[in-house]
C-alpha cells in the first residue's frame, strides 16, 4: 500500500468521528436562529455559528496534533522509513477532509430537515451560504492554531495551553476588529484568516521532529515561534485585565465627582446629591471649585446631561462579524429586512400575527427594482397593513396585496422632506409589547414642514402625538478635554455658546485614590506600546479604556511623559529580573537574550512568560543541604 494512503487510512476512525460530532454541533448552531433568520433574511446574528466554528476548529487541530503521541502510534511511526514532515502532512490532509465536510454537511442537512419537517424551505435563498462559509473560515485558522500548539516540543502542558490561547487571542483580535459599526469587509476578513493559517501551519511544520529534552536547548525557530506566542498571550490577557480594572476605577472616580446641575433661574452649579436621613429623599448641595461643600441647598435643581461626554464604554471591539446588515422588523402581517449588500428588501407575508409566512418576495424601488441605500429604515407600523420605508428623506410604500409588486414613492404635503422618525408610546409605558413597543405605539415622521403618522394612508399627526415627541435638550455637556483622570467639561446651549466650564481635578480622598490606582495599573502595561502611544497617539484615544484596550489613553497625545518613562524603567527592571532568573535555571545564552528582549518590550508580561516557558535545566546546580559529619565521641 502507498505510504501516504496508509497514513490517511489509519486515521479513518477518528476522522469519521470528528466529522460527525463537528457537523452535529454546527447543525445545532444553524438551527438555533431558525431557518428564516439563516436563509430567508440577511444573516445578522452569527454568534452561535461563529463561536461553534472556532471552537470546533481548535479542538480538531489539537486532537490531530496529539493523537499519535497519546496513543503511542508516534513511536511506531518513528521506526518506519517516513519523514516527520510527511506524517504531519498526512495529519493536515485529514484535517482538511474534516473541515470540508464541516463546510458542506451542516447547511445541506439544515435545508433537508426544513424540507421534510418545515414549511419555509421553498422561501430560502441558497446564496446566503456564502455568508455562512465566510464565517466558517475561522475554523481553518483555529485548526492551524491547534496544530501549532499541540506540536510544540515541550513537556509543559501549560505552555501548549498558553500557545493555543494566544493564537486564538491573536486570531480574534485581528479578525474581529475588522467588524465595524456597519458590515465586515469580506476581502480583508478572508485575507487575515489566510495569513493566520499560513503562519501557524508553517510553525507546526517547524515543530515536528523536535524532541522535548530539558538538557538540550529548543531549536531557535521553535523557540521564537512558541515563545513569542506565549509572550503575546500573557501580555494580551494582562492588558485586557488592566483595561477592565482601569475602567472600573475611572467609573468609581466619576461617581465621586460632583454633578453639574441647572436651577430654574438658569444658573449652573456644581453639586453633590445626598440623601436626607429622615425622609430618604435626595437633595442637591452646592460645592465650590475645590469640590468642598458650601452648605447651600438647591432644592429645585436638575442635572445637566445623563451621559458623561467624551467617554465610551467598549467591549474590546470583539463583535461577531456581520457581512450584511439586517434591520429586520416584524408587524402583524409581515417580517421585512433591507439587505445592504443588494439594496433590496426581503419580505415574508403572513395571514395572521405570528403565523407561518405564506408568501415571500424580494423587491426594490420602482419597476426596475432599484436598490435602497444603506441608511434605509423600515418603519414599525403595527396598525398599517402595508410596508413603509424611509430612505434619504423620502417615503416609500409596498402594498400588502395587489399590484404593483415594488415600492412606490409617497408624496409628502407641500413637497416636504423627512428629517427623522420617532416611536411614540401613547398607552401604558410600563406594559410593553414583546418587541419593545406598547400596544398603542405609532411612528411619527418629522419633516421640515410638519409631523405625520402612517396607517392605511399618510396623514398629519394629531396634537396628542406631537406633544409626546422627544425634544432635544436645551443644554448639553461637551468634553473640552476628555482626559480619563482630570477631564475638562463644558456646558453649551442650543446655539453652541459656552455657559459653564470646569476641570475635575483630584480633590477628594476617594477621587485621588481611584486616580492613583488608575495610574498604577498603567505601569504594568507593555513599555513599547506605551512609548508608541505616547509619541503618536491622538487625543481621540482618551474616550475610555475598554474601547481601545491596548492603547493607554493616559499617555496618548504626549500626555504624562513621566508615566511613559516610568513604564520603560519597569521594563528594564523586568529585563534584569529575567536575566537573573534564567541564569539560576542554567538557560543557554541565546534563550536568555530572547527573553530579555521580550521583557524590555512587554515589561512584567515578558518576565512572567519567561518564568512559564523556560524550565530549570536537569543539569542545573541545585542547592544541597549540607549536613555536618557525625562526630564520634570516645570515652
Amino acid at each position: 500500500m502507498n505510504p501516504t494512503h496508509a497514513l490517511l487510512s489509519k486515521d479513518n476512525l477518528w476522522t469519521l468521528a470528528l466529522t460527525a460530532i463537528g457537523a452535529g454541533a454546527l447543525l445545532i448552531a444553524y438551527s438555533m436562529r431558525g431557518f428564516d433568520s439563516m436563509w430567508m433574511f440577511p444573516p445578522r446574528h452569527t454568534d452561535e455559528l461563529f463561536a461553534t466554528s472556532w471552537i470546533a476548529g481548535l479542538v480538531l487541530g489539537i486532537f490531530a496534533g496529539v493523537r499519535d503521541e497519546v496513543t503511542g502510534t508516534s513511536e511506531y511511526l518513528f521506526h518506519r522509513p517516513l519523514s516527520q514532515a510527511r506524517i504531519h502532512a498526512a495529519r493536515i490532509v485529514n484535517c482538511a477532509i474534516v473541515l470540508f465536510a464541516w463546510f458542506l454537511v451542516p447547511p445541506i442537512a439544515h435545508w433537508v430537515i426544513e424540507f421534510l419537517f418545515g414549511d419555509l424551505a421553498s422561501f430560502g435563498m441558497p446564496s446566503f451560504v456564502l455568508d455562512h462559509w465566510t464565517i466558517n473560515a475561522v475554523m481553518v485558522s483555529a485548526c492551524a492554531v491547534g496544530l501549532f500548539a499541540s506540536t510544540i516540543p515541550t513537556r509543559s502542558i501549560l505552555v501548549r495551553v498558553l500557545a493555543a490561547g494566544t493564537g486564538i487571542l491573536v486570531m480574534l483580535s485581528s479578525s474581529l476588529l475588522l467588524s465595524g459599526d456597519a458590515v465586515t469587509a469580506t476581502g480583508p476578513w478572508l485575507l487575515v484568516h489566510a495569513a493566520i493559517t499560513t503562519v501557524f501551519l508553517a510553525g507546526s511544520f517547524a515543530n515536528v521532529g523536535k524532541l522535548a529534552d530539558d538538557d538540550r536547548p529548543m531549536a531557535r525557530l521553535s523557540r521564537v515561534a512558541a515563545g513569542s506566542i506565549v509572550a503575546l498571550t500573557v501580555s494580551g490577557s494582562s492588558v485586557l485585565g488592566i483595561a477592565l480594572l482601569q475602567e472600573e476605577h475611572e467609573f468609581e472616580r466619576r461617581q465621586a465627582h460632583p454633578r453639574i446641575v441647572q436651577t430654574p433661574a438658569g444658573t449652573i452649579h456644581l453639586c453633590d446629591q445626598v440623601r436626607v436621613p429622615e425622609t430618604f429623599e435626595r437633595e442637591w448641595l452646592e460645592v465650590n471649585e475645590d469640590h468642598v461643600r458650601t452648605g447651600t441647598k438647591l432644592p429645585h435643581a436638575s442635572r445637566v446631561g445623563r451621559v458623561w461626554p467624551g467617554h465610551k464604554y467598549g467591549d474590546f471591539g470583539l463583535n461577531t462579524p456581520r457581512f450584511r446588515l439586517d434591520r429586520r422588523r416584524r408587524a402583524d402581517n409581515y417580517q421585512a429586512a433591507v439587505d445592504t449588500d443588494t439594496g433590496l428588501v426581503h419580505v415574508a407575508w403572513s395571514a395572521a400575527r405570528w403565523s407561518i409566512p405564506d408568501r415571500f418576495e424580494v423587491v426594490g424601488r420602482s419597476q426596475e427594482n432599484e436598490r435602497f441605500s444603506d441608511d434605509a429604515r423600515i418603519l414599525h407600523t403595527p396598525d398599517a397593513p402595508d410596508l413603509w420605508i424611509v430612505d434619504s428623506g423620502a417615503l416609500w410604500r409596498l402594498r400588502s396585496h395587489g399590484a404593483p409588486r415594488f415600492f412606490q414613492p409617497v408624496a409628502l404635503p407641500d413637497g416636504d422632506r423627512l428629517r427623522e422618525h420617532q416611536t411614540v408610546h401613547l398607552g401604558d409605558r410600563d406594559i410593553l409589547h414583546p418587541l419593545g413597543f406598547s400596544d398603542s405605539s405609532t411612528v411619527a415622521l418629522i419633516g421640515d414642514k410638519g409631523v405625520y403618522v402612517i396607517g392605511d394612508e399618510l396623514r398629519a399627526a394629531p396634537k396628542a402625538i406631537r406633544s409626546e415627541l422627544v425634544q432635544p435638550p436645551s443644554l448639553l455637556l461637551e468634553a473640552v478635554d476628555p482626559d480619563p483622570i482630570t477631564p475638562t467639561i463644558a456646558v453649551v446651549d442650543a446655539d453652541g455658546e459656552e455657559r459653564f466650564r470646569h476641570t475635575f481635578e483630584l480633590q477628594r480622598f476617594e477621587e485621588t485614590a481611584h486616580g492613583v490606582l488608575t495610574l498604577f495599573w498603567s505601569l504594568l502595561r507593555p513599555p513599547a506600546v506605551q512609548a508608541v502611544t505616547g509619541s503618536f497617539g491622538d487625543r481621540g484615544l482618551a474616550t475610555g479604556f475598554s474601547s481601545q484596550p491596548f492603547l493607554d489613553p493616559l499617555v496618548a497625545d504626549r500626555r504624562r511623559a513621566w508615566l511613559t518613562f516610568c513604564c520603560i524603567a519597569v521594563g528594564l527592571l523586568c529585563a534584569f529580573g529575567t536575566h537573573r532568573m534564567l541564569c539560576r535555571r542554567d538557560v543557554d545564552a541565546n534563550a536568555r537574550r530572547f527573553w530579555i528582549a521580550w521583557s524590555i518590550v512587554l515589561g512584567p508580561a515578558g518576565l512572567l512568560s519567561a518564568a512559564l516557558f523556560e524550565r530549570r535545566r536537569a543539569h542545573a546546580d541545585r542547592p544541597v543541604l549540607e549536613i555536618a559529619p557525625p562526630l564520634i565521641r570516645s570515652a
Side-chain angles (χ1 to χ4, degrees), residues 264 282-284 297-301:
R282 297 182 181 273
E283 61 181 8
W284 294 105
K297 296 182 180 181
L298 303 175
H300 301 293

Side-chain angles (χ1 to χ4, degrees), residues 2-19:
N2 187 294
T4 302
H5 292 168
L7 288 173
L8 295 176
S9 61
K10 78 178 179 63
D11 294 329
N12 284 342
L13 183 60
W14 75 259
T15 301
L16 291 174
L18 283 180
T19 299

Side-chain angles (χ1 to χ4, degrees), residues 221-237:
L221 182 59
S222 297
R223 175 187 289 116
V224 170
S228 300
I229 290 297
V230 171
L232 291 175
T233 297
V234 174
S235 177
S237 303

Side-chain angles (χ1 to χ4, degrees), residues 270-289:
L270 287 174
C271 289
D272 282 336
Q273 191 177 45
V274 298
R275 187 186 298 271
V276 180
E278 295 79 9
T279 61
F280 297 101
E281 295 180 353
R282 297 182 181 273
E283 61 181 8
W284 294 105
L285 296 181
E286 186 181 22
V287 300
N288 58 20
E289 293 289 327

Side-chain angles (χ1 to χ4, degrees), residues 76-91:
Y76 171 80
L77 295 175
F78 187 76
H79 296 283
R80 303 275 77 78
L82 296 170
S83 65
Q84 293 296 319
R86 189 171 187 177
I87 296 173
H88 190 61
R91 294 192 192 105

Side-chain angles (χ1 to χ4, degrees), residues 134-452:
T134 306
I135 296 170
N136 290 145
V138 74
M139 288 192 303
V140 182
S141 51
C143 180
V145 170
L147 277 171
F148 170 80
S150 58
T151 54
I152 294 175
T154 179
R155 293 190 177 92
S156 176
I157 300 298
L158 178 61
V159 170
R160 296 187 178 187
V161 172
L162 284 175
T166 234
I168 293 298
L169 181 66
V170 171
M171 180 181 61
L172 295 182
S173 299
S174 58
S175 60
L176 292 184
L177 290 178
L178 298 174
S179 304
D181 296 331
V183 294
T184 304
T186 304
W189 167 271
L190 295 177
L191 286 176
V192 164
H193 284 284
I196 292 173
T197 302
T198 303
V199 169
F200 281 97
L201 282 183
S204 68
F205 271 103
N207 289 337
V208 297
K210 309 294 192 304
L211 298 177
D213 189 347
D214 290 342
D215 287 333
R216 298 179 59 187
M218 186 180 295
R220 179 172 298 181
L221 182 59
S222 297
R223 175 187 289 116
V224 170
S228 300
I229 290 297
V230 171
L232 291 175
T233 297
V234 174
S235 177
S237 303
S238 63
V239 168
L240 293 179
I242 289 171
L244 282 175
L245 290 172
Q246 290 182 307
E247 187 90 3
E248 180 65 23
H249 285 304
E250 185 191 10
F251 175 79
E252 294 296 337
R253 179 191 53 76
R254 287 190 286 107
Q255 291 295 105
H257 278 322
R259 304 293 188 267
I260 301 176
V261 301
Q262 179 186 16
T263 63
T267 58
I268 300 174
H269 305 266
L270 287 174
C271 289
D272 282 336
Q273 191 177 45
V274 298
R275 187 186 298 271
V276 180
E278 295 79 9
T279 61
F280 297 101
E281 295 180 353
R282 297 182 181 273
E283 61 181 8
W284 294 105
L285 296 181
E286 186 181 22
V287 300
N288 58 20
E289 293 289 327
D290 298 326
H291 299 180
V292 178
R293 294 177 182 175
T294 61
T296 304
K297 296 182 180 181
L298 303 175
H300 301 293
S302 59
R303 184 175 174 181
V304 178
R306 294 287 177 179
V307 180
W308 192 266
H311 181 85
K312 298 178 182 178
Y313 280 108
D315 53 0
F316 302 129
L318 302 182
N319 301 310
T320 53
R322 295 180 299 172
F323 301 97
R324 302 171 190 250
L325 278 184
D326 173 17
R327 302 186 180 97
R328 189 173 172 184
R329 288 291 191 186
R330 293 177 181 263
D332 291 348
N333 62 325
Y334 67 80
Q335 302 176 45
V338 180
D339 186 348
T340 53
D341 188 37
T342 63
L344 302 179
V345 182
H346 297 236
V347 189
W349 300 96
S350 305
R353 187 175 187 179
W354 305 112
S355 63
I356 297 175
D358 53 20
R359 289 186 296 128
F360 182 78
E361 55 186 343
V362 181
V363 293
R365 302 189 313 186
S366 73
Q367 194 168 4
E368 289 76 21
N369 268 349
E370 297 178 3
R371 61 170 295 156
F372 285 96
S373 70
D374 292 345
D375 297 327
R377 293 293 186 273
I378 298 175
L379 301 179
H380 179 82
T381 53
D383 299 329
D386 300 336
L387 178 57
W388 302 73
I389 288 183
V390 174
D391 185 15
S392 302
L395 185 64
W396 298 82
R397 178 182 188 178
L398 176 67
R399 297 188 179 274
S400 57
H401 292 88
R405 301 315 301 158
F406 54 82
F407 282 89
Q408 295 177 290
V410 178
L412 298 175
D414 300 326
D416 200 358
R417 189 171 183 82
L418 300 178
R419 292 185 288 104
E420 61 173 316
H421 61 276
Q422 297 182 14
T423 300
V424 179
H425 304 283
L426 299 177
D428 188 354
R429 297 174 182 270
D430 298 326
I431 305 176
L432 296 182
H433 189 276
L435 295 178
F437 299 95
S438 64
D439 290 333
S440 58
S441 66
T442 187
V443 175
L445 305 176
I446 305 173
D448 296 328
K449 302 178 181 179
V451 182
Y452 316 96

Side-chain angles (χ1 to χ4, degrees), residues 59-108:
V59 172
L60 173 63
I62 293 176
F63 183 87
V66 303
R67 186 257 179 188
D68 289 342
E69 181 180 348
V70 172
T71 59
T73 310
S74 58
E75 298 179 4
Y76 171 80
L77 295 175
F78 187 76
H79 296 283
R80 303 275 77 78
L82 296 170
S83 65
Q84 293 296 319
R86 189 171 187 177
I87 296 173
H88 190 61
R91 294 192 192 105
I92 294 177
V93 171
N94 275 319
C95 290
I97 294 173
V98 175
L99 291 171
F100 178 78
W102 285 356
F103 273 93
L104 200 60
V105 172
I108 294 177

